[in-house]
Amino acid sequence: MKRLNAGAWRTAPEGMRNAQMDPAALVRQTLARHGLGDGGGTGGDRAGGIIRDALARAGLGQGARGETAPDLPQGATFARGQHSGKSGTRAYRTYIPASASAGANGLVVMLHGCTQTPEDFALGTGMNAHAEAHRLIVIYPEQSRGANAQTCWNWFSKGDQARGRGEPEIIAGLTRQIAQHHGIAPRHTFVAGLSAGAAMAVILGHAYPDVFAAVGAHSGLPLGAAHDVPSAFAAMAGNGGVTRPPATFAPRTIVLHGANDSTVHPANGSAIAAMAEAGVKGPVLTSEERGTAGGRRYHRSLTWGAESQIHTEQWRIEGLGHAWSGGQPGGSYADPAGPDASAEMIRFFLEPDAKDDLT
């Protein structure tokens, strides 16, 4: 079980602190404030949402901000750090695998979702184990509560959607710093994320093609889907309108999305893929396949560009909600069933080098 952050109670709103650190009391108090009693009858769905919201704000429930870090192989490190750019400062964790003692093959930036931490995200995605197998360094930037109360990356803010400013500037600067320190070229540098983290990963891929060679977006939203909080909620519900003009460039992109995602509508995954496909140069070839992995059915669409490598890959996973497919125990928003999203992203990221090895 994931350890709860005791400090979360100290920062909870006054009404929550009055629950005397008792989750049951917090639930009763919150429901009473909304006139829903025990949450039965027709108000049940609404009550469930209110409960989850209240628990998350208090530091409890699925999105609790714990500090439990994944176990490390001998020789590996999972160090804390802090990076400052012209747009602000963010903390981060860096995983350096024991297998990279003779040098790393690449770097992956992993952007967590709302209410998550780097430690939580590393646990749930199991990305460190894949990094160990492929000699990859992984950076886990951490959103601050000062920037967003629910620790969501601000993908919907106009000031955080373009090159040279806001959160993209901070994350890209951090990535450059770590990559240069370890001698990792941009063609071996990638960015991925979940939900709000995926939306920010998409922004970074478009804004910094000189930093990131490919993007992994799990349960995310397309560039330009929103410009403020109301339009963000509309986009999450599948009612967003992408305002950005058709792309003349788009990074290589792999998209995974649950067909049963009720938090971020699956239409957003299709919009990310469509925008990526719009940037493919030269003749475009496509293929589709259906299959089963991890006990779940999936539909996989592929697009090739002129370079004879997969440019865009989209997975629609049946039965999956708003969670990391093939996730690991101990992390929030991680579903153990279905294709292993981390493995598929790493395979997609490294595919161009694998083809180079065969020629």
Side-chain angles (χ1 to χ4, degrees):
M1 181 179 293
K2 185 170 58 177
R3 190 168 70 237
L4 297 178
N5 181 359
W9 284 106
R10 291 193 294 271
T11 59
E14 186 62 39
M16 295 180 189
R17 291 200 298 272
N18 289 342
Q20 297 181 339
M21 301 187 187
D22 178 2
L26 170 62
V27 168
R28 289 193 298 271
Q29 183 186 68
T30 302
L31 291 177
R33 193 162 57 248
H34 288 270
L36 289 172
D38 293 327
T42 58
D45 289 343
R46 182 180 169 218
I50 290 170
I51 291 169
R52 287 191 297 273
D53 227 23
L55 292 176
R57 287 197 301 271
L60 295 171
Q62 188 180 38
R65 291 177 57 80
E67 292 299 328
T68 301
D71 294 333
L72 298 181
Q74 185 174 0
T77 61
F78 194 46
R80 296 179 184 275
Q82 185 168 284
H83 173 80
S84 295
K86 70 178 185 180
S87 301
T89 299
R90 294 294 184 279
Y92 64 93
R93 284 265 202 173
T94 305
Y95 179 74
I96 301 179
S99 61
S101 58
N105 286 332
L107 185 153
V108 181
V109 178
M110 291 287 288
L111 299 174
H112 62 72
C114 298
T115 75
Q116 292 184 307
T117 63
E119 297 82 6
D120 177 19
F121 198 39
L123 278 169
T125 62
M127 186 59 79
N128 290 356
H130 294 284
E132 193 71 51
H134 295 280
R135 291 170 51 196
L136 301 171
I137 292 172
V138 188
I139 307 173
Y140 296 90
E142 181 171 18
Q143 177 64 305
S144 69
R145 286 196 181 277
N148 186 290
Q150 296 299 308
T151 65
C152 308
W153 297 102
N154 291 305
W155 59 273
F156 49 84
S157 167
K158 288 183 178 180
D160 297 288
Q161 295 179 344
R163 185 183 180 96
R165 61 182 184 177
E167 291 168 2
E169 184 270 328
I170 299 170
I171 298 168
L174 165 62
T175 304
R176 282 197 189 103
Q177 176 181 300
I178 301 296
Q180 289 172 3
H181 179 75
H182 291 278
I184 299 171
R187 70 185 294 261
H188 297 138
T189 303
F190 317 100
V191 60
L194 171 67
S195 193
M200 183 56 68
V202 170
I203 291 170
L204 286 162
H206 284 268
Y208 289 94
D210 53 325
V211 177
F212 302 102
V215 172
H218 198 313
S219 311
L221 299 102
L223 178 66
H227 57 274
D228 56 18
V229 172
S231 60
F233 280 111
M236 291 167 65
N239 301 319
V242 178
T243 57
R244 186 181 185 277
T248 55
F249 162 81
R252 295 183 65 243
T253 304
I254 179 170
V255 180
L256 297 100
H257 214 114
N260 290 30
D261 191 334
S262 59
T263 300
V264 177
H265 195 280
N268 288 288
S270 298
I272 296 171
M275 185 171 286
E277 290 170 2
V280 178
K281 297 179 181 178
V284 176
L285 300 175
T286 62
S287 70
E288 296 188 8
E289 68 176 43
R290 297 180 183 274
T292 303
R296 284 223 169 98
R297 291 179 296 174
Y298 65 82
H299 177 212
R300 180 175 174 239
S301 302
L302 305 171
T303 301
W304 282 267
E307 298 84 2
S308 297
Q309 67 184 34
I310 299 173
H311 184 275
T312 308
E313 183 170 329
Q314 181 183 4
W315 295 68
R316 183 182 173 93
I317 303 165
E318 299 299 327
L320 177 67
H322 194 65
W324 192 270
S325 182
Q328 302 298 309
S332 65
Y333 302 105
D335 189 326
D340 185 336
S342 296
E344 296 300 340
M345 285 185 180
I346 294 300
R347 185 261 313 156
F348 178 84
F349 291 159
L350 301 181
E351 184 195 29
D353 280 347
K355 288 191 173 184
D356 290 345
D357 293 341
L358 295 175
T359 58

